[in-house]
Coordinates of all heavy atoms in Angstrom, one line a residue:
I14 N 39.2 96.8 35.0 CA 38.2 96.4 36.0 C 37.9 97.7 36.8 O 38.8 98.3 37.4 CB 38.9 95.4 36.9 CG1 39.3 94.2 36.1 CG2 37.9 94.9 38.0 CD1 40.4 93.3 36.7
L16 N 36.4 99.2 40.2 CA 36.2 98.7 41.6 C 36.0 99.9 42.5 O 36.3 101.0 42.3 CB 37.4 97.9 42.0 CG 38.8 98.5 41.9 CD1 39.1 99.3 43.2 CD2 39.8 97.4 41.7
R17 N 35.5 99.5 43.7 CA 35.3 100.4 44.8 C 35.9 99.7 46.1 O 35.5 98.5 46.3 CB 33.8 100.7 45.1 CG 33.7 101.6 46.3 CD 32.2 102.1 46.5 NE 32.0 103.1 45.4 CZ 30.8 103.4 45.0 NH1 29.8 102.8 45.4 NH2 30.7 104.4 44.0
V18 N 36.7 100.4 46.8 CA 37.4 99.8 48.0 C 37.1 100.8 49.1 O 37.2 102.0 48.9 CB 38.9 99.6 47.8 CG1 39.6 99.1 49.0 CG2 39.2 98.7 46.6
S19 N 36.8 100.3 50.3 CA 36.6 101.3 51.4 C 37.3 100.7 52.6 O 37.5 99.5 52.7 CB 35.1 101.5 51.7 OG 34.5 100.3 52.0
D23 N 45.2 102.9 56.0 CA 46.1 101.8 55.9 C 45.6 100.7 55.2 O 46.4 99.9 54.5 CB 46.5 101.4 57.4 CG 47.3 102.4 58.1 OD1 47.9 103.4 57.5 OD2 47.4 102.3 59.4
D24 N 44.3 100.4 55.2 CA 43.7 99.3 54.5 C 43.8 99.6 53.0 O 44.2 98.7 52.2 CB 42.2 99.1 54.8 CG 42.0 98.8 56.3 OD1 42.8 98.1 56.9 OD2 40.9 99.2 56.8
I25 N 43.5 100.8 52.6 CA 43.5 101.1 51.1 C 45.0 101.1 50.6 O 45.3 100.6 49.5 CB 42.8 102.4 50.8 CG1 41.3 102.2 51.1 CG2 43.1 102.9 49.4 CD1 40.5 103.5 51.0
A26 N 45.9 101.6 51.5 CA 47.3 101.6 51.1 C 47.8 100.1 50.9 O 48.6 99.8 50.0 CB 48.2 102.3 52.1
G27 N 47.4 99.3 51.9 CA 47.8 97.9 51.8 C 47.2 97.2 50.5 O 47.9 96.4 49.9
F28 N 46.0 97.5 50.2 CA 45.3 97.0 49.0 C 46.2 97.4 47.7 O 46.5 96.6 46.9 CB 43.9 97.5 48.8 CG 43.3 97.1 47.6 CD1 42.7 95.9 47.4 CD2 43.2 98.1 46.5 CE1 42.1 95.5 46.2 CE2 42.6 97.7 45.3 CZ 42.0 96.5 45.2
A29 N 46.5 98.7 47.7 CA 47.3 99.2 46.5 C 48.7 98.5 46.5 O 49.2 98.1 45.4 CB 47.5 100.7 46.6
A30 N 49.3 98.2 47.7 CA 50.6 97.5 47.7 C 50.4 96.1 47.2 O 51.3 95.5 46.5 CB 51.2 97.5 49.1
D31 N 49.3 95.4 47.6 CA 49.1 94.0 47.1 C 48.9 94.0 45.6 O 49.4 93.1 44.9 CB 47.8 93.5 47.8 CG 48.1 93.0 49.2 OD1 49.3 93.0 49.7 OD2 47.1 92.8 49.9
I32 N 48.2 95.0 45.1 CA 48.0 95.1 43.6 C 49.4 95.2 42.9 O 49.6 94.6 41.9 CB 47.1 96.3 43.3 CG1 45.7 96.1 43.7 CG2 47.2 96.6 41.8 CD1 44.9 95.1 42.9
A33 N 50.2 96.0 43.5 CA 51.6 96.2 42.9 C 52.4 94.9 42.9 O 53.3 94.8 42.1 CB 52.3 97.3 43.7
G34 N 52.1 94.0 43.8 CA 52.8 92.8 43.9 C 52.3 91.6 43.1 O 52.8 90.5 43.1
L35 N 51.3 91.9 42.3 CA 50.7 90.8 41.4 C 51.7 90.3 40.4 O 52.6 91.1 40.0 CB 49.4 91.2 40.8 CG 48.3 91.4 41.7 CD1 47.1 92.0 41.0 CD2 47.9 90.1 42.4
A36 N 51.5 89.1 39.9 CA 52.5 88.5 38.9 C 52.5 89.2 37.6 O 53.4 88.9 36.8 CB 52.2 87.0 38.8
W37 N 51.5 90.0 37.2 CA 51.5 90.7 36.0 C 51.4 92.2 36.2 O 51.1 92.6 37.3 CB 50.4 90.1 35.0 CG 49.1 90.2 35.7 CD1 48.2 91.2 35.6 CD2 48.4 89.1 36.4 NE1 47.0 90.9 36.3 CE2 47.2 89.6 36.8 CE3 48.8 87.9 36.9 CZ2 46.3 88.9 37.6 CZ3 47.9 87.1 37.6 CH2 46.7 87.6 38.0
V39 N 50.0 95.6 36.7 CA 48.7 96.2 37.0 C 48.9 97.6 37.4 O 49.8 98.0 38.1 CB 48.1 95.4 38.2 CG1 46.8 96.0 38.7 CG2 47.9 93.9 37.9
I41 N 46.7 101.2 38.8 CA 45.5 101.8 39.3 C 45.3 103.1 38.6 O 46.2 104.0 38.8 CB 45.5 101.9 40.8 CG1 45.6 100.5 41.4 CG2 44.2 102.6 41.3 CD1 45.8 100.5 42.9
M56 N 37.5 104.5 47.8 CA 38.3 104.7 46.6 C 37.5 104.1 45.5 O 37.3 102.9 45.5 CB 39.7 104.2 46.7 CG 40.5 104.3 45.4 SD 42.2 103.7 45.5 CE 41.9 101.9 45.3
V60 N 41.2 99.5 37.4 CA 42.5 98.8 37.4 C 42.7 98.2 36.0 O 41.8 97.7 35.4 CB 42.4 97.7 38.5 CG1 43.7 96.8 38.4 CG2 42.2 98.2 39.8
A62 N 45.0 95.7 33.9 CA 45.9 94.5 34.1 C 46.4 94.1 32.7 O 45.6 94.0 31.8 CB 45.2 93.4 34.8
P72 N 46.2 82.7 36.1 CA 46.5 84.1 36.5 C 45.5 84.7 37.4 O 45.8 85.7 38.1 CB 46.4 84.9 35.1 CG 45.6 84.1 34.3 CD 45.8 82.6 34.7
T73 N 44.3 84.1 37.6 CA 43.3 84.6 38.6 C 43.6 84.0 39.9 O 42.8 84.3 40.9 CB 41.9 84.3 38.1 OG1 41.7 82.9 38.0 CG2 41.6 85.0 36.7
A74 N 44.5 83.1 40.1 CA 44.7 82.5 41.4 C 45.4 83.4 42.4 O 45.4 83.1 43.6 CB 45.6 81.2 41.2
T75 N 46.0 84.5 42.0 CA 46.6 85.4 43.0 C 45.6 86.1 43.8 O 44.6 86.6 43.3 CB 47.5 86.4 42.2 OG1 48.4 85.7 41.4 CG2 48.2 87.3 43.2
K76 N 45.8 86.0 45.1 CA 44.8 86.6 46.0 C 45.3 88.0 46.5 O 46.5 88.1 46.8 CB 44.5 85.7 47.2 CG 43.8 84.5 46.9 CD 43.5 83.7 48.1 CE 42.8 82.4 47.8 NZ 42.5 81.6 48.9
V77 N 44.4 88.9 46.6 CA 44.7 90.2 47.3 C 44.1 90.1 48.7 O 42.9 89.8 48.8 CB 44.1 91.4 46.5 CG1 44.3 92.7 47.2 CG2 44.6 91.4 45.1
T78 N 44.9 90.5 49.7 CA 44.5 90.2 51.0 C 43.8 91.4 51.7 O 43.2 91.2 52.8 CB 45.7 89.8 51.9 OG1 46.7 90.9 51.8 CG2 46.4 88.5 51.4
H79 N 43.8 92.5 51.1 CA 43.2 93.7 51.8 C 41.9 94.0 51.2 O 41.6 93.8 50.1 CB 44.1 94.9 51.7 CG 45.3 94.9 52.6 ND1 46.4 94.1 52.2 CD2 45.6 95.4 53.7 CE1 47.3 94.2 53.2 NE2 46.8 95.0 54.1

Side-chain angles (χ1 to χ4, degrees):
I14 305 161
L16 56 84
R17 176 175 287 155
V18 179
S19 63
D23 292 343
D24 297 329
I25 293 175
F28 174 80
D31 285 349
I32 291 288
L35 291 173
W37 54 89
V39 178
I41 299 175
M56 178 179 78
V60 175
T73 61
T75 304
K76 291 184 180 178
V77 177
T78 60
H79 286 77

